Amino acid sequence: AQRFLQGGEGGEHPADRALTDVAPQFAQAIASGEENTVIQYAKAGDLRTLAVKITADVNGHVITFEDITRQLLDQRRAAWSDVARRIAHEIKNPLTPIQLATERLKRR
């Protein structure tokens, strides 16, 4: 989490800074009282999608997050693959009888 929030190796330690400076999206989710949310987090030109869970504690909040960017991309690819397969099937449906009729005409 530290490397993720500070954008890699080096740089200022994120624990030494305010949450609104490090990750304003997280601070906004806490302010709105959300417990589970999905956040688009941009860091150094890289857009990531995070599944975030926020739990209130007597000393503040505990924030856990998981990078689900890859999972969403894989789901999107699978959906487009299914669409392409269905379109190819629909295109092939009328072509099969035409092909069979052409083959019959050639035999005659």
Side-chain angles (χ1 to χ4, degrees):
Q2 175 182 332
R3 279 194 305 269
F4 186 83
L5 291 174
Q6 72 186 25
E9 299 297 329
E12 188 178 355
H13 194 285
D16 299 333
R17 299 170 44 205
L19 183 61
T20 52
D21 296 337
V22 176
Q25 301 91 332
F26 291 174
Q28 184 179 6
I30 289 173
S32 67
E34 296 181 62
E35 291 181 358
N36 295 305
T37 188
V38 175
I39 292 176
Q40 296 286 322
Y41 185 78
K43 192 70 168 187
D46 193 22
L47 184 63
R48 296 288 181 178
T49 304
L50 307 174
V52 179
K53 182 175 181 179
I54 302 169
T55 306
D57 186 86
V58 292
N59 297 319
H61 292 86
V62 176
I63 303 171
T64 56
F65 60 90
E66 179 182 2
D67 187 356
I68 59 171
T69 306
R70 191 78 179 139
Q71 179 183 354
L72 291 177
L73 289 173
D74 290 344
Q75 287 175 352
R76 192 173 295 129
R77 258 189 225 116
W80 278 112
S81 176
D82 186 49
V83 167
R85 184 183 52 78
R86 288 174 188 236
I87 289 173
H89 177 74
E90 291 303 320
I91 290 171
K92 186 179 176 198
N93 271 348
L95 293 179
T96 302
I98 293 170
Q99 182 182 6
L100 293 173
T102 315
E103 290 171 1
R104 254 187 262 122
L105 285 172
K106 282 182 184 178
R107 276 184 285 176
R108 286 186 185 169

